[in-house]
Amino acid sequence: MSGIRAEGVSIELGGRRVVDDVHLEVPPGELLALVGPNGAGKSTLLTALSGEKVPATGSVLLDGRAIGSFDALELARTRSVLTQDNAVSFPFRVIEVVEMGRSPWARTPGREGDADAITRALARTDVEHLVERRFTELSGGERARVSLARVLAQETAIVLLDEPTAALDLRHQEDVLRIARELAAAGRAVVVVLHDLSLAGAYADRIALLEQGRIRALGAPVEVLTQELVAEVYGLDVEVLVRDGRPLVIPRRATA
Amino acid sequence: MSRIAQLARRRAILGVVLAVLLVVAVLTSAVVGQFAVSPAEVVGSLLRAVGIPTSWAPDDPTTEAALWVIRFPRIVMALAVGTALAVAGAVMQAVFGNPLAEPGVVGVSAGAALGAAFAIVTGLLAYGEWTIAVLAFAGGLGATLLVYGVSRANGRTEVVTLLLTGIAVNAFGGAGLAFLLFVAGSSSREQIVFWQLGSLSGSLWREALLVLVIAVAGTIAAVALARRYDILALGERNARHLGIDVERLRLWSIVLVALLTGAAVAFVGIIAFVGLVVPHLMRMIIGPAHRSLLISSAVGGALLIVVADLLARTVVAGAELPIGLLTSLVGGPFFFALLWRQRRASGGWA
């Protein structure tokens, strides 16, 4: 099978089991959102899916092949990762940063697509007007979008995004999820870690709700984001409205 | 004109300017000194050496000797040391992800000097020049590994930890050096001053050529890794996700820094701040992309040391200033300004 497949993945950090026996499958063409409270193990699970961490037990398969059997460059041509660390140590120009996303394709036939991939990535993330600016001079939201452009320029079959909306305003949050949708529609397997449940509910094909390292629920947004489940996992009283078949999660606030 | 095109033009202009300045500096350095030699004689002598006889070539054997025994090896040493230090600085900054990393500032030079002094004091020198270079390399390697191990967190280096580690390593290296020279008895204060502030006086051909070979080979190796250093600026995790074998890159780079610094320090002592000032100036002019940065730093470092050495032996008539005194005099305030700017940019000392 192509796409990503996690079989009984567990990860231990400092003797603590942060991800516990996770089974997950994301076929090409699907957008999966990973949600859950702080410390539920979302980002850690993503590090296993990206090949950055070797799971204590279980295995991860990319395109049907054990992730450990990829070398670093092969892996970079198969999956791209947007991390939460988007600092750049030296004042590179935005265009240079996005070009770095093409580096795995250097000395391969894929390099002929460099210019197109970069143009597309810049347009999609709405950063064309920034190309000549220094990355270090950008605002947090601009940096996040440029980093996303770099990841898109990598043009891989599997795309992993760790909280891509964290620094973004309302419009750009929607833009990022729309891009993730388009990627899935174009046949990529996309995994997005999100905090905003309504955003996840609006765009994801399926949602995996994590609780203390385990998958508590996995399925279509309306099945996973139910009033009872969200209230229980997050320890917060919420109301879930369903619009056009998509759940909207609203905390119930005590009126003063 | 777009800023990107502007950068490309700047790179070309910088290359030409550096090359012209370097030739001028080398010629001036060969001409100026206690023994007067004319520029024509210098050119004539050089041409004769490569088999082209001209009327310019000096007839006086004293002039020939002054050039070939004293000045030329010294100039070659200056070129090699400058290149080695500037490239070591640029590589170190790339690997530490921090523009304040520099062999002199963080104590790599002190470690190398300690190693070199050990070779001299214990009499290992009797086995040849290379023993000094090898021990300087070992000392530099130890210091680099130490600083690297201590000052990193989450794939980046914090300024405060880096500089504090540097203080500790420098203090230890300096004290060890003074102690070695003291125990050996051979040691006058001049010896200690020589190691702490550096001098190119009395450079020999075989030493200069050894340093030159290492400097050139090290620069070529660094330029070959340039694209990887660019990507490393994204942080270790992102670099890894782009297919860079970060561990291997790091290991080779640390060896490279130790090798270049060790070679530079082994025969002329510690000349601080070269690796800080030169790459930083180049970055300001042509941007941070490492290929051009490393090449221009190599040339710029050579230029800086040739000029600094020329000043060191001519500013005070009849006496030689330690060259590290000059580079630190310029580098100290420069370093401070850089530190100040970085603090302002990051809103704190992190």
Side-chain angles (χ1 to χ4, degrees):
Chain A
M1 195 217 87
S2 45
I4 317 177
R5 195 184 158 100
E7 291 170 346
V9 167
S10 301
I11 298 174
E12 286 177 10
L13 290 179
R16 207 170 64 86
R17 198 155 264 224
V18 185
V19 171
D20 195 2
D21 194 30
V22 167
H23 293 265
L24 205 63
E25 205 176 313
V26 188
E30 185 177 275
L31 170 57
L32 176 98
L34 283 179
V35 301
N38 290 335
K42 305 180 293 289
S43 296
T44 311
L45 175 58
L46 208 66
T47 61
L49 299 181
S50 71
E52 194 177 347
K53 278 218 170 67
V54 179
T57 65
S59 58
V60 174
L61 304 174
L62 298 189
D63 290 335
R65 217 177 112 193
I67 202 165
S69 71
F70 285 77
D71 70 34
L73 261 177
E74 267 183 303
L75 204 52
R77 292 177 198 140
T78 309
R79 60 94 184 94
S80 49
V81 188
L82 179 71
T83 63
Q84 293 182 48
D85 175 19
N86 289 322
V88 173
S89 309
F90 296 102
F92 281 95
R93 306 275 165 181
V94 165
I95 184 70
E96 294 176 302
V97 171
V98 178
E99 279 166 3
M100 289 179 200
R102 292 303 299 170
S103 65
W105 301 100
R107 287 186 287 277
T108 72
R111 60 174 294 195
E112 281 162 29
D114 282 5
D116 286 346
I118 290 165
T119 314
R120 262 198 305 274
L122 291 171
R124 268 189 165 161
T125 51
D126 186 26
V127 293
E128 289 153 309
H129 60 292
L130 300 175
V131 287
E132 300 206 333
R133 297 266 301 277
R134 289 189 179 90
F135 186 90
T136 41
E137 290 166 354
L138 303 179
S139 75
E142 289 168 337
R143 286 181 192 202
R145 275 148 55 209
V146 171
S147 302
L148 178 62
R150 168 173 64 70
V151 170
L152 295 182
Q154 208 171 330
E155 301 215 316
T156 53
I158 294 165
V159 182
L160 309 171
L161 308 172
D162 194 0
E163 293 191 30
T165 56
L168 300 183
D169 63 29
L170 198 59
R171 189 199 127 195
H172 286 114
Q173 287 188 18
E174 295 290 322
D175 281 354
V176 167
L177 269 294
R178 191 180 37 73
I179 292 167
R181 265 249 58 88
E182 288 169 10
L183 290 175
R188 321 280 179 93
V190 185
V191 179
V192 187
V193 173
L194 282 176
H195 269 302
D196 187 329
L197 298 179
S198 301
L199 205 56
Y203 287 97
D205 292 309
R206 287 192 304 155
I207 292 181
L209 175 61
L210 283 159
E211 185 186 28
Q212 292 178 0
R214 293 180 153 272
I215 292 198
R216 180 63 194 273
L218 174 64
V222 278
E223 296 162 22
V224 174
L225 298 180
T226 61
Q227 215 145 301
E228 299 71 38
L229 206 52
V230 173
E232 198 194 317
V233 170
Y234 284 83
L236 176 77
D237 198 8
V238 297
E239 188 182 350
V240 176
L241 306 175
V242 178
R243 264 223 195 135
D244 306 326
R246 295 283 182 175
L248 276 173
V249 181
I250 304 162
R252 280 191 222 270
R253 291 157 186 135
T255 43
Chain B
M1 184 164 38
S2 83
R3 266 185 264 186
I4 305 294
Q6 217 172 353
L7 272 182
R9 220 181 68 152
R10 271 198 201 179
R11 267 199 288 273
I13 295 174
L14 180 71
V16 174
V17 170
L18 282 178
V20 170
L21 286 178
L22 190 63
V23 171
V24 172
V26 164
L27 278 181
T28 315
S29 200
V31 169
V32 177
Q34 282 173 334
F35 188 85
V37 183
S38 76
E41 283 174 319
V42 171
V43 175
S45 179
L46 280 173
L47 285 176
R48 184 161 63 194
V50 293
I52 308 169
T54 56
S55 57
W56 292 341
D59 303 321
D60 181 5
T62 326
T63 310
E64 263 314 79
L67 286 177
W68 287 95
V69 177
I70 298 171
R71 283 193 200 154
F72 288 162
R74 185 167 181 158
I75 291 170
V76 170
M77 182 64 102
L79 294 169
V81 165
T83 296
L85 286 175
V87 172
V91 169
M92 214 168 174
Q93 287 147 26
V95 176
F96 280 72
N98 193 316
L100 291 171
E102 199 260 351
V105 173
V106 305
V108 177
S109 296
L114 187 59
F118 186 80
I120 294 167
V121 166
T122 55
L124 283 171
L125 178 55
Y127 296 98
E129 253 76 38
W130 57 271
T131 53
I132 303 190
V134 167
L135 278 171
F137 166 67
L141 190 63
T144 321
L145 286 172
L146 182 68
V147 173
Y148 193 81
V150 171
S151 67
R152 295 171 49 74
N154 299 322
R156 287 181 200 272
T157 319
E158 288 177 8
V159 175
V160 177
T161 338
L162 178 69
L163 298 185
L164 291 180
T165 316
I167 291 177
V169 177
N170 266 321
F172 181 82
L177 196 62
F179 180 73
L180 270 183
L181 296 170
F182 178 78
V183 170
S186 67
S187 61
S188 43
R189 265 183 234 142
E190 273 105 77
Q191 271 290 318
I192 297 179
V193 169
F194 165 80
W195 282 106
Q196 298 282 16
L197 288 171
S199 170
L200 272 67
S201 162
S203 296
L204 303 172
W205 269 119
R206 56 174 189 276
E207 298 171 348
L209 291 176
L210 178 61
V211 181
L212 186 69
V213 168
I214 296 175
V216 170
T219 305
I220 292 171
V223 171
L225 296 172
R227 188 62 188 147
R228 275 168 247 197
Y229 291 140
D230 287 347
I231 295 164
L232 198 59
L234 299 172
E236 272 182 25
R237 289 185 64 199
N238 291 321
R240 217 173 273 134
H241 290 151
L242 282 165
I244 305 283
D245 186 341
V246 175
E247 279 67 33
R248 220 170 60 184
L249 178 63
R250 191 157 64 192
L251 183 71
W252 282 115
S253 302
I254 285 176
V255 170
L256 196 57
V257 167
L259 195 62
L260 286 167
T261 312
V265 169
F267 305 107
V268 304
I270 299 171
I271 305 175
F273 292 111
V274 179
L276 183 87
V277 174
V278 175
H280 190 78
L281 285 177
M282 297 305 155
R283 220 177 269 126
M284 274 167 40
I285 301 170
I286 57 166
H290 282 90
R291 211 184 121 81
S292 5
L293 178 70
L294 285 162
I295 295 171
S296 60
S297 292
V299 182
L303 174 64
L304 178 69
I305 294 295
V306 170
V307 172
D309 185 49
L310 180 62
L311 290 175
R313 61 191 176 84
T314 52
V315 164
V316 179
E320 271 206 27
L321 291 175
I323 183 171
L325 182 155
L326 289 173
T327 59
S328 295
L329 213 54
V330 177
F334 192 92
F335 178 69
F336 185 71
L338 208 58
L339 195 58
W340 191 256
R341 244 184 46 172
Q342 193 168 2
R343 187 182 77 149
R344 250 194 4 207
S346 64
W349 286 111

